[in-house]
Amino acid sequence: MFSSQEYLDKKTGPSGVGRLQYLQSLVTEFQDTDKEDCKEQVLANLANFAYDPINYEHLRKLNVIDMFLDSLTEENERLVEFGIGGLCNLALDKQNKEHILASGGVDLVIQCLSSRNEETVLNAITTLMFLTTPASKPAITSLSVVECMLRFQLSKNPRLSNLATIFLEDYCSRQQVEAARQAQTGDAVGIALPSEPQET
Amino acid sequence: MAAPMDKVAEHHKQKQICASRPAYRQGRRDRAVKVYTVNQESRYLLVQGVPAIGVTEDLVRRFALYGAVQEYRVLHEYPAEEFTQAYWIKFDRLQAARVAKRKLDEYSFFGGVLHVSYAPEFETVDDTREKLGERRILIANKTRGKDQHGKQHSASSHEDKKKVPASSSTSTLQNEPSQRTNYQEEFPQVPSEVETFPALPAPPQQQWYHPAQQQSQWDVPKVASKQGVFPVGYDARLTVPTPNTNKSSPRSKTSSDNQDEDLGPLIGPQLPSKHQSGDSKEGTSGQSVVRPDLVPRQVMAGRKRPAPPGFFGEALDEDKDSKEVDEDVGDELQKASCPDTGSSSINKTANFVRQKMRQISQTGRNMSSGSRSSKSGSSSSSSPRSSKKTTRRRI
């Protein structure tokens, strides 16, 4: 599943391009190129590299996490999809998590929940789960997010409903879920109904 | 909740290969532009393009080489090309599914090309929860190791700083060589920097696959290169008893035999002439074994391998001797080709299938004894192999 350093060294050989250098060339190409195709390919490549923790040091050094976060606001849907995929892959590492949270990543990821792309939404839900810390929990389990998850839970798409169920059961408290349910049904407790008009 | 079968899901469709990659980042295999996260991966696989010529058993056995298969179904209603079928395969472990997908996607199988994709829509909530949990644990283990590494790193580099103002532990792009030397401190057995003009590489030699060289449990068996040439005079049709099978059969140990055993991996192709002269080796009852690393993969796949007895509910063979030998040979073949999973995963798969069929026959019996109308639309009473509908089992 994951590569070891010995495996990488063996694959590279004595005169080959090392992993860091290769990633650096990818980042450079992404920054320099104008073609959308190339940007998509490079971003997808980096997102796949983000799957293996051996690359995390390099990715942090090259500010790839910021690159992923920036791509979430792009118009090109594929760039958003690959960016959120990359974040989903590396959000479990402590240092990466802190960096994402410090850069206001939670809001950007929450925005991805309203994407039309199925993979983007799924990756966004998982990223939110991975980013949950005691400090970030209030923002991640805010009312609007929980409401959104309740809607997803009713979806016919099993992948979506499964993830939403896990989010609601494992990451939200019962009160939060209840509050969101009530907000959805418009059951505004405390506001008196208008009295019946009295017929004289 | 049944997976939508009338419309093919996007992630089941094969995307176009990317043809516009610049050379420096063109990989060995042509691939589409796709990102895989924990959400895309699954222990459930969808296999399309399987020729509809009754090869279920072979297909499942092929997949079971990479890990135990818990369940499998033919998806009769899945939109498939003419003369092909789609299969649904559930692995016991995600890692096995990953390896199987990587190895068997675009694999030529009985004249058809397999298209293997993940099928996470078949997961239950618990499956997904377990999958995410496993990913968490894996990353935690990997990064915990790195943290400790990093602490040792900084500790050792601090000591170094007092002695020599050498490179710091936090290497930058320019300090690539120093990063390499840092690794040397940790792994002194790594060879030192190569001289500017390395000697010419030795002429290509046949590298025989040796099970002992396997590094980690994640290594998949590698056969000799597909482009590798057989030695002169070697005939792949001739079979050669391996040192392993020779141990099980009684034979007189001569010095030449010992030599053969030791040099077995190196002089494999020359063995037939030596062994045919010695008839005492025929204790394997003519069931000699082809060295898997000398036979093309396609031949291996098409070859009828002796399955573990009762694998698909067949009657067990009365002839014990040949059966034992078959098992030995079958096991050895599988062990040789898949030292880690091979026979054990095939046996596990067989157990899963047997359990499932027992369950089904029991429920079938209960139903027929319980009520007159036995066939009242219960999908669980149909056997997995002949299920007409794909129903997602919700536990």
Side-chain angles (χ1 to χ4, degrees):
Chain A
M1 191 170 332
F2 301 131
S3 314
S4 68
Q5 188 56 47
E6 290 87 3
Y7 169 76
L8 290 182
D9 290 337
K10 197 170 66 169
K11 217 166 60 144
T12 312
S15 58
V17 172
R19 181 52 65 90
L20 179 61
Q21 216 174 323
Y22 182 76
L23 292 173
Q24 170 73 65
S25 354
L26 286 180
V27 172
T28 314
E29 186 184 345
F30 185 84
Q31 287 164 347
D32 294 346
T33 189
D34 294 324
K35 295 191 223 168
E36 281 299 301
D37 281 352
C38 286
K39 285 200 162 181
E40 289 172 12
Q41 290 162 21
V42 171
L43 199 63
N45 207 351
L46 288 169
N48 284 323
F49 272 119
Y51 188 89
D52 192 343
I54 202 172
N55 302 310
Y56 287 172
E57 271 295 332
H58 305 318
L59 294 174
R60 279 194 287 267
K61 220 171 286 173
L62 298 169
N63 295 326
V64 171
I65 304 181
D66 294 323
M67 193 190 292
F68 288 149
L69 287 168
D70 289 337
S71 70
L72 297 185
T73 47
E74 290 272 349
E75 276 181 13
N76 186 340
E77 269 184 15
R78 279 164 67 85
L79 288 179
V80 178
E81 183 190 334
F82 299 152
I84 190 69
L87 288 174
C88 179
N89 275 336
L90 46 75
L92 274 174
D93 175 75
K94 234 187 238 174
Q95 289 186 40
N96 296 344
K97 210 186 295 200
E98 285 165 9
H99 185 109
I100 297 173
L101 294 173
S103 319
V106 172
D107 291 325
L108 291 168
V109 175
I110 289 176
Q111 280 177 29
C112 291
L113 289 175
S114 39
S115 165
R116 294 177 300 172
N117 186 319
E118 181 195 5
E119 305 292 342
T120 305
V121 176
L122 294 169
N123 287 333
I125 301 177
T126 317
T127 312
L128 285 177
M129 289 199 246
F130 290 164
L131 289 175
T132 306
T133 62
S136 64
K137 202 164 180 190
I140 288 177
T141 54
S142 65
L143 190 64
S144 52
V145 175
V146 181
E147 276 184 31
C148 189
M149 294 297 170
L150 282 170
R151 283 197 297 275
F152 286 157
Q153 199 180 24
L154 304 171
S155 160
K156 281 191 193 157
N157 184 340
R159 294 168 76 188
L160 196 56
S161 67
N162 285 350
L163 281 178
T165 308
I166 295 174
F167 186 93
L168 292 167
E169 286 178 5
D170 299 354
Y171 294 85
C172 302
S173 65
R174 243 184 234 173
Q175 294 90 345
Q176 284 172 315
V177 179
E178 266 313 304
R181 263 207 194 106
Q182 286 180 2
Q184 272 196 335
T185 55
D187 217 0
V189 181
I191 298 176
L193 289 168
S195 51
E196 292 289 300
Q198 299 272 342
E199 278 187 49
T200 51
Chain B
M1 208 187 282
M5 279 299 133
D6 49 347
K7 209 170 97 172
V8 174
E10 271 309 307
H11 59 278
H12 291 173
K13 293 183 191 158
Q14 196 167 39
K15 287 191 178 164
Q16 285 242 327
I17 285 173
C18 175
S20 58
R21 277 191 233 265
Y24 87 95
R25 52 183 173 86
Q26 178 66 40
R28 279 182 215 124
R29 281 178 73 178
D30 288 329
R31 294 179 199 274
V33 183
K34 217 172 168 186
V35 171
Y36 284 96
T37 67
V38 68
N39 290 320
Q40 276 73 42
E41 297 176 338
S42 173
R43 343 194 241 137
Y44 298 83
L45 292 184
L46 185 77
V47 187
Q48 298 172 65
V50 186
I53 48 177
V55 291
T56 306
E57 197 177 311
D58 298 271
L59 183 80
V60 175
R61 221 180 280 159
R62 195 83 188 87
F63 273 83
L65 286 177
Y66 299 101
V69 170
Q70 269 192 2
E71 222 183 305
Y72 61 92
R73 287 181 199 171
V74 184
L75 303 179
H76 295 283
E77 288 185 358
Y78 196 88
E81 276 180 30
E82 220 181 350
F83 307 121
T84 65
Q85 279 175 330
Y87 282 74
W88 171 96
I89 292 184
K90 177 181 176 185
F91 274 90
D92 196 22
R93 300 194 56 232
L94 173 68
Q95 175 58 4
R98 287 187 86 220
V99 176
K101 180 191 181 286
R102 196 175 78 224
K103 292 284 168 179
L104 296 173
D105 194 20
E106 299 288 290
Y107 179 70
S108 175
F109 185 75
F110 283 96
V113 178
L114 299 182
H115 170 219
V116 185
S117 47
Y118 294 112
E121 63 273 17
F122 290 101
E123 288 177 353
T124 61
V125 179
D126 290 326
D127 285 335
T128 312
R129 192 177 270 135
E130 194 187 320
K131 186 175 73 169
L132 295 176
E134 271 180 21
R135 172 86 182 150
R136 265 192 197 273
I137 292 170
L138 273 168
I139 299 291
N141 289 340
K142 275 272 164 178
T143 47
R144 194 188 313 134
K146 287 211 165 244
D147 278 342
Q148 288 170 358
H149 237 39
K151 282 176 192 159
Q152 285 171 12
H153 237 47
S154 46
S156 61
S157 67
H158 280 312
E159 289 169 15
D160 280 351
K161 272 185 182 168
K162 291 176 193 166
K163 295 175 194 170
V164 175
S167 54
S168 64
S169 59
T170 57
S171 54
T172 63
L173 254 182
Q174 289 76 34
N175 287 353
E176 278 257 284
S178 63
Q179 196 175 33
R180 247 176 263 152
T181 53
N182 279 344
Y183 280 122
Q184 280 176 36
E185 287 164 30
E186 299 287 329
F187 305 104
Q189 63 268 28
V190 171
S192 56
E193 299 280 347
V194 176
E195 303 87 38
T196 358
F197 299 104
L200 285 173
Q205 287 172 7
Q206 294 284 6
Q207 293 292 328
W208 305 117
Y209 173 65
H210 206 299
Q213 284 166 8
Q214 268 209 329
Q215 293 299 321
S216 76
Q217 59 169 322
W218 304 124
D219 267 344
V220 285
K222 300 174 191 66
V223 295
S225 156
K226 269 198 254 187
Q227 283 75 37
V229 178
F230 289 166
V232 173
Y234 178 72
D235 190 348
R237 293 167 298 177
L238 290 177
T239 53
V240 170
T242 63
N244 288 336
T245 53
N246 282 341
K247 280 176 194 160
S248 60
S249 64
R251 42 182 278 240
S252 52
K253 287 226 168 186
T254 61
S255 56
S256 63
D257 290 345
N258 284 339
Q259 268 188 355
D260 288 340
E261 213 164 37
D262 293 337
L263 299 175
L266 294 176
I267 60 167
Q270 294 157 21
L271 280 176
S273 49
K274 286 193 180 168
H275 278 271
Q276 274 166 15
S277 54
D279 275 319
S280 56
K281 271 61 128 202
E282 291 312 297
T284 51
S285 68
Q287 275 289 342
S288 29
V289 175
V290 179
R291 306 238 343 275
D293 52 5
L294 297 177
V295 178
R297 198 194 300 159
Q298 282 75 2
V299 174
M300 282 270 280
R303 205 179 262 265
K304 285 256 173 194
R305 274 194 228 147
F311 181 68
F312 282 100
E314 335 144 317
L316 295 183
D317 206 15
E318 291 303 302
D319 189 356
K320 249 192 176 178
D321 286 342
S322 67
K323 190 183 71 175
E324 276 171 9
V325 167
D326 280 359
E327 280 177 19
D328 282 338
V329 163
D331 283 347
E332 291 307 335
L333 245 189
Q334 284 150 16
K335 276 183 198 152
S337 65
C338 283
D340 279 329
T341 55
S343 60
S344 63
S345 67
I346 289 204
N347 287 335
K348 262 194 206 169
T349 305
N351 287 334
F352 282 131
V353 171
R354 269 182 234 130
Q355 273 172 26
K356 183 75 186 161
M357 299 198 72
R358 232 174 275 143
Q359 266 176 31
I360 286 167
S361 59
Q362 273 172 8
T363 50
R365 253 181 266 137
N366 291 342
M367 281 193 65
S368 56
S369 62
S371 63
R372 293 277 164 93
S373 54
S374 53
K375 291 175 189 171
S376 48
S378 164
S379 61
S380 62
S381 62
S382 61
S383 83
R385 267 185 273 163
S386 60
S387 67
K388 296 289 176 187
K389 261 193 181 176
T390 61
T391 51
R392 251 184 90 237
R393 293 185 302 124
R394 270 221 184 257
I395 301 160

